[in-house]
Amino acid sequence: MSENKKVTLTINGVKREVPASPDMVLLDLLRNDLHLTGTKQSCDRKGQCGACTVIVDNKAVRSCITKVASLDGSEVITVEGLGTPDNPHLIQEAYVLSGAIQCGYCTPGMIMATKALLDKNENPSDADIKKALSRNLCRCTGYTKIFDAVRLAASFIRGETTPEKVRASLRTEAMGESHPRPSSMLKACGLAKFAADYYIDGAVEIAGVHSTEHHARIKSIDTSEAEKMPGVIGVMTGKDVPGTNRIRVMAPDQPILCEDIVRMYGDPIAVVAAETRQQARAAATKVKVTYEPLPVMRTAREAIAEGAYQIHSHSPNLCFAMPLKKGDAEKALKEAAAIVEGNFTTQMNHQAPLEPEVCIAYLDGEGDKPELVIVGRSINIHGAKAQLQDALGYDNIRYQEPFVGGQFGIKATISSEGIAGAAALYFKRPVRYVPSIEESMWISSKRHPFDMTVKLGADADGHITTYDIDILENTGAYMTLAFVPISRALHMLSSSYNIPNINAVGRAVYTNDAPGGAARGAGPPQACFALESAMDMLAEKLGIDALEFRRMNSLKPGQSKATGMVVSQWPFPEICDLIQPCYEKAKKEAEEFNSSQSGPIRRGVGIAADAFGIAEAGDKSDLSVEVDPDDGITIYAAIADPGEGNDSMLTQIAAHLLDIPMEKVRLYTRDTDKTVGMGPAAGSRMTFMGGGALVNALEQMKQAMKEAGTRTYEGLKKAGKPTRYQGVRNAPGEGRPDRDTGQGPSFVTDVQNIQMAEVEVNIKTGETRVIKMTTAVDAGPIINPQNFTGQLEGGMDQGVGYALREEYINGKTKDWVTFKFPTINDSFDTEIYTSETPREPGTLGSTGIGEMTMVSTAPAVTNAIKNACGARVYNLPATPEKVKAALAAEK
Ligand code: FES
Ligand code: FES
C-alpha cells in the first residue's frame, strides 16, 4: 500500500489540504474529488491533447500528467477560477466573440493556455501563439478562429477595444449576423456539462475487456481472477445482456458483447464493474480470454477473393451491390476523344472527436421496469433509443444528450451506450463508462475505405461524355451504415458537372477491420477524391486549364445529375468566377517561387470542386414550438448540436420570424422526453429539415396570433388559441431511385463549392505543407457568418489531415499521436468567398454547410502536389513515402 502524502495547495483562491497518493494526478483531484469539471480529459493521461490544461504557479500545465504530490504550496487556477457567465474574463469573452467555440471540449484548456501566454506577453506574434498552443488540440475549428480569439483577447488586455464595443458592432438583426452561440459562454467558463461531468451517487465505474485478435472463435472467458481484484463488484459477459445483444442499424450483426466470435481487434467481450475507474480498468486486464484464430481479411479485395472465409453466417462477405446507370457509358467510352483511368484508394479514418465515447446509464424510479436513462452522445437520440430497446430487451428507455465534444458522424451509430445500458441493467447500479481514447476508437465506427477504379472520358471539345466507376467499400466487421456512404457517393457522383453517361457500381464488403459508419461527408469525400483527380488528369490530357475545364463542364439548369434528377438552379459557374482571380494569382506566385529556387521545395496550386446534396427526397422532420408565459418561446426538437451551430440556427430563425430577442428563444433539444424523432443531425440536413420544420411551426403560430390580434401568451389563451404548434418539413419528392439503374429522386438541393490548395512539397523528403486553402461556396443565404466560416475552416483542416497524414489502423492507432491529429503547427491560412443564391426549396433560402469543405479538400491538395512536383498520388493519405514513390514513378 503506497503512503498518502498531505499536500497543501491553493485552487482558485481556496486553500486546501489534500491527501495524495504518489500516482494521483491533478486532473483526478480537480474532476473526481472537487468536481471542477471544466477541466477536460481526452487523451487519458498521455499529455497529448491539452484539454486538461490549468495554470500552476503562472505556467500552463497538463493536469493529467501533473502529480498532486509535487504541488505542495502551489497555486492552481482552473477555468472556473477565471470568470463566470455573469462576470467573464476578457479571454473568455474573446473566445465567445471570435466564434472560436464549436463543441467547446477543447475550450477550457485553450483558454488556460491563452491566459498563461498573455500573462507574459500581451502582444504575441502568430509564432508565439503557435508555440503557446502547440500542445492543445482542436478538431472543430481548424485553429483559424482560435488565432482570432487570442489576438482579440490580447487587444482587450492591451485596452485597444472592449467586449462591449465588439458586441455593439453586431447588428441587432437576428439573421445574417454573427451572434455568439447560445451555449458558448457556458463552455468558455467550463460550466457546460459533458457526459463525463455527470457524477451520480452510488455509481459504479465500468471498463471493457476487448479482443486482442482480429478474427477468432472465443474458446473460454475466465473472470475468476478479475472478480477477486480490489473494488470489483462483478463481471458481465454477452450472456448477461438481456435482449438480442445485437445493435441493428442495417443488419442485426454487431454484438454489444461478443459471445462466440470476435470479428475485429478491440471487439468488446466482457465488462468489469468496480468502485473506481482505476479498479475497473485494472481488473479488466485480469479477465482471461482464450481464442481459436480464424482467417483474417483486412481489405475488401481479400474478403471477396474466391474461397475467402465467410465472416458472418447470415451473409456472404459481399453484403450488397448498388448500381447506377445513366445514358450509355460503354458507347460513350468507345467514342470518347480522350480517356483517363486509374485506381484510387482512400484510407480508413477516425472522425476523431476530442471527447471520448463516454456514457452514463442509470435506472430511475421504482417497480419492475424503472426507466433506464442513457446519457450519451448520439446525434439521433430517438434512433439510438429504438436500437437500444431492441438490443437490451428493455422498452422503458429515455435518452438524454448532454453537451457533446464533437462527433463528425461518429455518433450516428451507437458505441458506449449499449455497454453502459447493459451494465446498468445487470449490476442494478448507476454506471459511469469513461473509455480511453483507444477504447473509444475500438467501439466506434470509422470512415470507410473506398477502392475505386475509374475511367473518365471527354469529346474533342473538352466536354465530359462518360464516367465509369467501380467502388469497393470496406464496411469492416459489421454493416452499421454500409449503405449510406455508397448511396450518397452514387447520388452525388456527377458532382458539379454535366455527365450524360455514367456506369457505376458500389459494393459493400465485410472484412475484419473496424466497422465503417458516418463520417463528415460520408461517401462523397472518397468519391470526390477519385473524380477530381481524374478531372485534373483529363484536363491535362486535353491541354485545358483545370479551372476552365471545370467551368466549361458545369451542369446547367435543365440538365440532370447522376440520378437523372433535373436541376433548376446551379450557381457553380459563379463560384468559379469568384475564385478565378485568387487562382491566377496563386499560380503566378508558385511559378515565380519555383523559378527562383534551386532547393528541394516546389510550390503547387490545385483545385477541386463539389456539389453536395442536401435533404433526400421524401425526408421528413417534426418539431413543436410553444409560447411561454413571458411571451418567449420554447422549441422542442430532437436536434443535436455537437458543434455545428444548430442551436444558433434554431434561435436566430425563431427570433427573426417572431421578432423577439434571441434570449427569449429557449431550446429543449436533447432529450427523447417531449420531443419526437427528427432523424440524425448529419448529412448537413438540419438547417433544411429542422429549420424548415421550425419555419412551418412558427408560421402557424404567427397566423394564430394574427387571427387573435395578439402577440402574447395571455392573448392567445384568451382567444382560445393553442400555445403549442407542431411544425413539419417534408423534403419535396417521393419514392426511391430505381434499384437497377439508380435513376430517380435524390437530394432536393445542393451546396456548391470550389476550392484551391497552395502547397509546398519537399522533393527530397516527400513532405507536403499546405500554405493556404481558399474556398468559394454558395449555400444560400447565410444565417450566422461566423458559424458558417467556422464550419468551412474546420472542414478544410480535417480535409488536409485526411489528405496528408491521418489514418486509422485497427490494432495500431491508439491515441492522438499515432492517429497524427493535426495540431496548430499544421494549420494554414484560409480565405473564404461566398455567394448566397437563395435555394428555391431552402429554409428561408438556406441549406447546410457542415460537410462541404471536407469533401473537396483532399483532391485539391493532391492536385496541388502534382502541379508542384509532378507526383500524382492515387492512394490517400499522401504521406512523404507515397509522394516520394510517386515522384520516382514519374521519372
Ligand atoms: S487529457 Fe491531459 S493532455 Fe490530454
Ligand atoms: S471546439 Fe475545439 S475540439 Fe471542438
Coordinates of all heavy atoms in Angstrom, one line a residue, residues 121-162:
N121 N 2.9 37.9 -22.2 CA 3.2 38.6 -23.4 C 1.8 39.1 -24.0 O 1.0 38.4 -24.5 CB 3.8 37.6 -24.4 CG 4.0 38.2 -25.8 OD1 3.7 39.4 -26.0 ND2 4.5 37.4 -26.7
E122 N 1.6 40.4 -23.8 CA 0.3 41.0 -24.2 C 0.2 41.2 -25.7 O -0.8 41.7 -26.2 CB 0.1 42.3 -23.5 CG -0.2 42.1 -22.0 CD -0.5 43.4 -21.3 OE1 -0.6 44.5 -21.9 OE2 -0.8 43.4 -20.1
N123 N 1.3 41.1 -26.4 CA 1.3 41.3 -27.8 C 1.9 40.2 -28.6 O 3.0 40.4 -29.2 CB 2.0 42.6 -28.1 CG 1.6 43.2 -29.5 OD1 0.8 42.6 -30.2 ND2 2.3 44.3 -29.9
P124 N 1.4 39.0 -28.5 CA 2.0 37.8 -29.1 C 2.0 37.8 -30.6 O 1.0 38.2 -31.2 CB 1.3 36.6 -28.5 CG -0.1 37.2 -28.3 CD 0.1 38.6 -27.9
S125 N 3.0 37.4 -31.2 CA 3.0 37.2 -32.7 C 2.3 35.8 -33.0 O 2.1 35.0 -32.1 CB 4.5 37.1 -33.2 OG 5.1 35.9 -32.6
D126 N 2.1 35.6 -34.3 CA 1.5 34.3 -34.6 C 2.4 33.1 -34.2 O 1.9 32.1 -33.7 CB 1.2 34.2 -36.1 CG -0.1 35.0 -36.5 OD1 -0.7 35.6 -35.6 OD2 -0.4 35.0 -37.7
A127 N 3.7 33.3 -34.3 CA 4.6 32.3 -33.9 C 4.5 32.0 -32.4 O 4.5 30.9 -31.9 CB 6.0 32.6 -34.3
D128 N 4.3 33.1 -31.6 CA 4.2 33.0 -30.1 C 2.9 32.2 -29.8 O 2.9 31.3 -28.9 CB 4.1 34.3 -29.5 CG 5.4 35.2 -29.6 OD1 6.4 34.5 -29.7 OD2 5.3 36.4 -29.6
I129 N 1.8 32.5 -30.6 CA 0.5 31.8 -30.3 C 0.7 30.3 -30.6 O 0.3 29.5 -29.9 CB -0.6 32.5 -31.1 CG1 -0.8 33.9 -30.7 CG2 -1.9 31.7 -31.0 CD1 -1.7 34.7 -31.6
K130 N 1.3 30.1 -31.8 CA 1.5 28.6 -32.1 C 2.3 27.9 -31.1 O 2.0 26.8 -30.7 CB 2.3 28.6 -33.5 CG 1.4 28.6 -34.7 CD 2.2 28.2 -35.9 CE 1.3 28.2 -37.1 NZ 1.9 27.9 -38.4
K131 N 3.3 28.6 -30.6 CA 4.2 27.9 -29.6 C 3.4 27.6 -28.3 O 3.4 26.5 -27.7 CB 5.4 28.8 -29.3 CG 6.4 28.1 -28.5 CD 7.7 28.9 -28.5 CE 8.7 28.2 -27.5 NZ 9.5 29.2 -26.8
A132 N 2.6 28.6 -27.9 CA 1.9 28.5 -26.6 C 0.7 27.5 -26.7 O 0.4 26.9 -25.7 CB 1.3 29.9 -26.2
L133 N 0.2 27.3 -27.9 CA -1.0 26.4 -28.0 C -0.6 25.1 -28.7 O -1.5 24.3 -29.1 CB -2.1 27.1 -28.8 CG -2.7 28.4 -28.2 CD1 -3.9 28.9 -28.9 CD2 -3.1 28.2 -26.7
S134 N 0.7 24.9 -28.9 CA 1.1 23.7 -29.7 C 0.7 22.4 -29.1 O 0.6 21.4 -29.7 CB 2.6 23.8 -30.0 OG 3.3 23.7 -28.7
R135 N 0.4 22.4 -27.8 CA 0.0 21.1 -27.1 C -1.5 21.1 -26.9 O -2.0 20.2 -26.2 CB 0.7 21.1 -25.7 CG 2.2 20.9 -25.8 CD 2.8 20.9 -24.4 NE 4.2 20.9 -24.4 CZ 5.0 19.8 -24.5 NH1 4.4 18.7 -24.7 NH2 6.3 19.9 -24.5
N136 N -2.2 22.0 -27.5 CA -3.7 22.0 -27.3 C -4.4 21.7 -28.6 O -4.2 22.4 -29.6 CB -4.2 23.4 -26.8 CG -3.8 23.7 -25.4 OD1 -2.6 23.9 -25.1 ND2 -4.7 23.6 -24.5
L137 N -5.1 20.5 -28.7 CA -5.7 20.1 -29.9 C -7.1 20.6 -30.0 O -7.9 20.7 -29.0 CB -5.8 18.6 -30.0 CG -4.4 17.8 -29.9 CD1 -4.7 16.3 -29.9 CD2 -3.5 18.3 -31.0
C138 N -7.5 20.9 -31.2 CA -9.0 21.2 -31.5 C -9.3 20.5 -32.8 O -8.6 20.6 -33.8 CB -9.2 22.7 -31.7 SG -10.9 23.1 -32.1
R139 N -10.4 19.8 -32.8 CA -10.9 19.1 -34.0 C -11.9 19.9 -34.8 O -12.1 19.6 -36.0 CB -11.5 17.8 -33.6 CG -11.8 16.8 -34.8 CD -10.6 16.5 -35.6 NE -10.9 15.3 -36.5 CZ -10.0 15.0 -37.4 NH1 -8.9 15.6 -37.6 NH2 -10.2 13.9 -38.2
C140 N -12.5 20.9 -34.2 CA -13.6 21.6 -34.8 C -13.2 22.8 -35.7 O -13.8 23.0 -36.7 CB -14.6 22.0 -33.8 SG -15.3 20.7 -32.7
T141 N -12.3 23.6 -35.2 CA -12.2 25.0 -35.7 C -11.2 25.1 -36.8 O -11.2 26.2 -37.5 CB -11.8 26.0 -34.6 OG1 -10.6 25.5 -34.1 CG2 -12.8 26.0 -33.5
G142 N -10.3 24.1 -36.9 CA -9.2 24.4 -37.9 C -8.2 25.4 -37.3 O -7.4 25.9 -38.1
Y143 N -8.4 25.8 -36.1 CA -7.5 26.7 -35.4 C -7.6 28.2 -35.9 O -7.1 29.1 -35.2 CB -6.0 26.3 -35.5 CG -5.8 24.9 -34.9 CD1 -5.7 23.8 -35.7 CD2 -5.7 24.7 -33.5 CE1 -5.5 22.5 -35.1 CE2 -5.6 23.4 -32.9 CZ -5.5 22.3 -33.8 OH -5.3 21.1 -33.3
T144 N -8.2 28.5 -37.0 CA -8.3 29.8 -37.5 C -8.9 30.8 -36.5 O -8.4 31.8 -36.2 CB -9.1 29.9 -38.8 OG1 -8.5 29.0 -39.7 CG2 -9.1 31.3 -39.4
K145 N -10.0 30.4 -36.0 CA -10.7 31.3 -35.1 C -10.1 31.2 -33.7 O -10.3 32.1 -32.9 CB -12.2 30.9 -35.0 CG -12.9 31.3 -36.3 CD -14.4 31.3 -36.3 CE -15.1 31.8 -37.5 NZ -14.3 32.1 -38.7
I146 N -9.3 30.2 -33.4 CA -8.6 30.3 -32.1 C -7.5 31.3 -32.2 O -7.3 32.1 -31.2 CB -8.0 28.8 -31.8 CG1 -9.3 28.0 -31.5 CG2 -7.0 28.9 -30.7 CD1 -9.1 26.6 -31.0
F147 N -6.8 31.4 -33.3 CA -5.9 32.5 -33.5 C -6.6 33.9 -33.3 O -6.1 34.8 -32.6 CB -5.3 32.5 -34.9 CG -4.0 31.7 -35.1 CD1 -4.1 30.5 -35.8 CD2 -2.8 32.1 -34.6 CE1 -3.0 29.7 -36.0 CE2 -1.7 31.3 -34.7 CZ -1.8 30.1 -35.4
D148 N -7.8 34.0 -34.0 CA -8.6 35.2 -33.9 C -8.9 35.5 -32.4 O -8.8 36.7 -32.0 CB -9.9 35.1 -34.6 CG -9.8 35.0 -36.1 OD1 -8.6 35.2 -36.6 OD2 -10.7 34.6 -36.8
A149 N -9.2 34.5 -31.6 CA -9.6 34.7 -30.2 C -8.4 35.2 -29.4 O -8.6 36.1 -28.6 CB -10.2 33.4 -29.6
V150 N -7.3 34.6 -29.7 CA -6.1 35.0 -28.9 C -5.7 36.5 -29.2 O -5.4 37.3 -28.3 CB -4.9 34.1 -29.1 CG1 -3.7 34.5 -28.3 CG2 -5.3 32.6 -28.8
R151 N -5.8 36.8 -30.5 CA -5.5 38.2 -30.9 C -6.5 39.1 -30.3 O -6.1 40.2 -29.8 CB -5.5 38.3 -32.5 CG -4.4 37.6 -33.1 CD -4.4 37.9 -34.6 NE -3.7 36.8 -35.4 CZ -4.3 35.9 -36.2 NH1 -5.6 36.0 -36.4 NH2 -3.5 35.0 -36.8
L152 N -7.8 38.8 -30.3 CA -8.8 39.7 -29.8 C -8.6 39.8 -28.3 O -8.7 40.9 -27.7 CB -10.2 39.1 -30.1 CG -11.4 40.0 -29.6 CD1 -11.4 41.4 -30.3 CD2 -12.7 39.3 -29.9
A153 N -8.3 38.7 -27.6 CA -8.1 38.8 -26.1 C -6.9 39.7 -25.8 O -7.0 40.5 -24.9 CB -7.8 37.4 -25.6
A154 N -5.9 39.6 -26.6 CA -4.7 40.4 -26.4 C -5.1 41.9 -26.6 O -4.6 42.8 -25.8 CB -3.6 40.0 -27.4
S155 N -5.9 42.2 -27.6 CA -6.3 43.6 -27.8 C -7.2 44.1 -26.7 O -7.2 45.2 -26.3 CB -6.9 43.8 -29.2 OG -8.2 43.2 -29.3
F156 N -8.0 43.2 -26.1 CA -8.8 43.6 -24.9 C -7.9 43.9 -23.8 O -8.0 44.9 -23.1 CB -9.7 42.4 -24.4 CG -10.9 42.1 -25.3 CD1 -11.5 40.9 -25.2 CD2 -11.4 43.1 -26.2 CE1 -12.7 40.6 -26.0 CE2 -12.5 42.8 -26.9 CZ -13.2 41.6 -26.9
I157 N -6.9 43.1 -23.6 CA -6.0 43.2 -22.4 C -5.1 44.5 -22.6 O -4.8 45.2 -21.7 CB -5.1 41.9 -22.3 CG1 -6.0 40.8 -21.7 CG2 -3.9 42.2 -21.4 CD1 -5.4 39.4 -21.8
R158 N -4.7 44.8 -23.8 CA -4.0 46.0 -24.1 C -4.8 47.2 -24.0 O -4.4 48.4 -24.1 CB -3.3 45.9 -25.5 CG -2.2 44.8 -25.6 CD -1.4 45.1 -26.8 NE -2.1 45.1 -28.1 CZ -2.4 44.0 -28.8 NH1 -1.9 42.8 -28.5 NH2 -3.1 44.1 -29.9
G159 N -6.2 47.0 -23.9 CA -7.1 48.2 -23.8 C -7.4 48.8 -25.1 O -8.0 50.0 -25.1
E160 N -7.1 48.2 -26.2 CA -7.4 48.8 -27.5 C -8.9 48.7 -27.9 O -9.4 49.5 -28.7 CB -6.6 48.1 -28.6 CG -5.1 48.3 -28.5 CD -4.3 47.4 -29.3 OE1 -4.8 46.5 -30.0 OE2 -3.1 47.4 -29.1
T161 N -9.6 47.7 -27.4 CA -11.0 47.6 -27.6 C -11.6 46.9 -26.4 O -10.9 46.5 -25.5 CB -11.4 47.0 -28.9 OG1 -12.8 47.0 -29.1 CG2 -10.9 45.5 -29.0
T162 N -12.9 46.8 -26.4 CA -13.6 46.1 -25.2 C -14.6 45.1 -25.8 O -15.1 45.3 -26.9 CB -14.3 47.1 -24.3 OG1 -15.4 47.7 -25.1 CG2 -13.4 48.2 -23.8

